[in-house]
Amino acid sequence: MKIVSKIATAAAALTIATTAYAENPMVGGAAMFETKNIVENAVNSADHTTLVAAVKAAGLVETLQSPGPFTVFAPVNDAFAALPAGTVETLLMPENKGMLVKVLTAHVVAGDWSAAEIARQARASSDGFYHFNTVSGDALSAQVKGNNVYILDESGNASLVTIADVNQSNGVIHVVNSVLVPK
């Protein structure tokens, strides 16, 4: 009976840990908290240092700290590193601030869109895609393949949502594995 009791205790602990994890998922080695805004959480993610530097250079910190709500498709550092050599450095130059703002705001949608709602919209559409616009005015599309949600930019480049529904006080972040490039 002691083994059964230990297994039950372990199962209960795992359930509690899973629930806590679901409420505050780890992103880039840091807990994300629903009580913090998008910027307050992003600065703690080791996987988003390039994104945070770009947001600061673009002057978008105050905007992403505002009430929103916003849905942000947040590329990881490796996504920026996969861009052609020199792209990030060029975008971060002060004279290219307008272009940087355009690229970053092409990752932001007005509203608080869960991955389940995005997937539901895609599945319900006649073409299998949910089409929506970003705050930059650029078009994105979402497609579901198996259990995965992909976000496609205007050129048809697909970015996998690797961590969905990272809830924030002013919206939600979906971590993606590539940079969405506006036309």
Side-chain angles (χ1 to χ4, degrees), residues 116 118-126 128-130 144-148:
I118 293 169
R120 188 186 73 70
Q121 293 283 346
R123 286 186 184 112
S125 71
S126 61
F129 292 90
Y130 173 54
V144 180
K145 292 182 182 178
N147 292 325
N148 295 313

Side-chain angles (χ1 to χ4, degrees), residues 16 21 23 40 61 66 105 117 129 148 160 162 165 171 175:
I16 292 168
Y21 178 79
E23 291 173 5
E40 291 170 330
V61 170
S66 71
T105 56
E117 180 59 21
F129 292 90
N148 295 313
L160 173 65
T162 58
D165 300 326
V175 177

Side-chain angles (χ1 to χ4, degrees), residues 16-80:
I16 292 168
T18 302
T19 301
Y21 178 79
E23 291 173 5
N24 295 311
M26 299 291 286
V27 176
M32 300 287 114
F33 298 98
E34 291 183 39
T35 57
K36 292 185 176 185
N37 67 47
I38 290 165
V39 174
E40 291 170 330
N41 275 319
V43 297
N44 294 316
S45 169
D47 290 343
H48 291 92
T49 57
T50 304
L51 178 62
V52 169
V55 166
K56 289 177 181 178
L60 294 173
V61 170
E62 190 174 308
T63 301
L64 292 175
Q65 288 179 325
S66 71
F70 304 106
T71 298
V72 177
F73 299 101
V76 293
N77 293 339
D78 288 344
F80 285 100

